[in-house]
Amino acid sequence: MKLPLAFRLAAATLLTLGASLASQAGEVQIAVAANFFAPMKAIAAEFEKTTGHKAVLSSGATGKFYAQIQSGAPFDVFLAADDETPAKLDKEGATVPGSRFTYATGKLVLWSAKPDLVDAKGEVLRSTKFAHIALAAPKLAPYGAAAVETLTRLGLLAQLEPKFVQGESIGQAFSFVSTGNAELGFVALSQVWENGKLKSGSAWIVPAELHGPIRQDAVMLARGKDNAAAAALIAYLKSDAAKAVIRSFGYDV
């Protein structure tokens, strides 16, 4: 049976529109600090639905990404765990000028997979209830640096340093605690917090005055200059939809 002309024209128009959108869709390679990987996965999924562009995520330590970017790693956008590293890349001419902005302010938390180990004031740090405490390497990961600063201000650094189990990134520090290789550790709140509550275990959210602010900046790298998908991602990260996701993981925006 021959379809009506109007139906055939409408179908042809939809096919043409679909092909046009597909041809315009691009791909953006994103280097994501480990603490922000979970929220960025959620944001990337909505970004792809909204724009048609594909977001390819790589997760790791901010310091390691810095070295990779210096060596020519093929990233278009960098979401760091601090504001210093993107600023440094700006000065070195490795970014698109004017693209840098703070996408989130992170929170440090002392966390244990055990539901009754960490108290609400972090007094467990002064106890003998643990043999190992995990943290990210302070020279590579800003959350690790914040953990060391916290212990220094509490006067506990020298006492607890022999118990350190260091991960290359905050993701590895979290893994040490979640698998029981360390009874507790300093991780990002976003790793253990979702929709306004702790997902599991026990935790003490470290007061902001015990360490410098963990301002996390995003920047478009030089490689992403003419990439429409990269520009669309930067814009999407500033949207209300993205900010709602970021807040749901415990960040300030």
Side-chain angles (χ1 to χ4, degrees):
M1 182 179 73
K2 191 171 183 179
L3 294 171
L5 177 61
F7 184 88
R8 283 181 283 142
L9 287 173
T13 300
L14 286 173
L15 285 171
T16 302
L17 179 60
S20 174
L21 288 172
S23 67
Q24 292 173 17
E27 182 175 288
V28 52
Q29 297 283 340
I30 311 162
V32 186
N35 76 88
F36 198 68
F37 187 63
M40 192 57 206
K41 278 178 68 177
I43 291 169
E46 290 305 312
F47 168 73
E48 291 180 3
K49 287 180 188 177
T50 303
T51 67
H53 296 303
K54 184 178 180 181
V56 180
L57 308 181
S58 297
S59 174
T62 291
K64 189 172 182 181
F65 276 136
Y66 172 71
Q68 291 176 351
I69 291 165
Q70 280 188 313
S71 298
F75 296 121
D76 302 300
V77 173
F78 181 28
L79 275 62
D82 65 1
D83 55 356
E84 294 174 5
T85 306
K88 196 185 303 182
L89 289 168
D90 256 353
K91 290 179 181 177
E92 294 168 357
T95 67
V96 175
S99 65
R100 178 165 53 94
F101 70 100
T102 300
Y103 66 90
T105 299
K107 295 177 184 177
L108 184 69
V109 61
L110 180 68
W111 177 71
S112 174
K114 298 177 180 180
D116 56 353
L117 182 59
V118 179
D119 58 282
K121 294 184 179 180
E123 289 299 320
V124 65
L125 290 170
R126 303 181 189 276
S127 75
T128 57
K129 295 179 180 179
F130 61 96
H132 301 97
I133 180 168
L135 70 160
K139 290 185 178 180
L140 290 176
Y143 280 83
V148 169
E149 188 178 354
T150 294
L151 292 176
T152 300
R153 293 194 180 186
L154 291 173
L156 295 172
L157 183 62
Q159 176 185 329
L160 294 181
E161 209 162 9
K163 298 184 178 184
F164 282 4
V165 179
Q166 287 193 30
E168 184 180 77
S169 69
I170 200 70
Q172 286 189 349
F174 172 80
S175 179
F176 289 148
V177 183
S178 64
T179 58
N181 287 308
E183 295 93 332
L184 72 172
F186 286 102
V187 300
L189 181 62
S190 59
Q191 294 170 299
V192 299
W193 192 264
E194 195 168 6
N195 297 322
K197 62 182 181 180
L198 190 67
K199 291 190 283 187
S200 64
S202 53
W204 169 56
I205 299 175
V206 178
E209 62 267 21
L210 290 179
H211 60 79
I214 308 174
R215 281 188 289 266
Q216 302 191 196
D217 278 10
V219 70
M220 187 186 296
L221 299 169
R223 183 181 183 272
K225 181 180 178 182
D226 299 315
N227 184 339
L233 179 77
I234 290 288
Y236 191 79
L237 280 170
K238 298 176 182 179
S239 71
D240 290 340
K243 288 178 180 179
V245 173
I246 295 169
R247 288 191 188 99
S248 75
F249 279 86
Y251 294 93
D252 288 333
V253 180

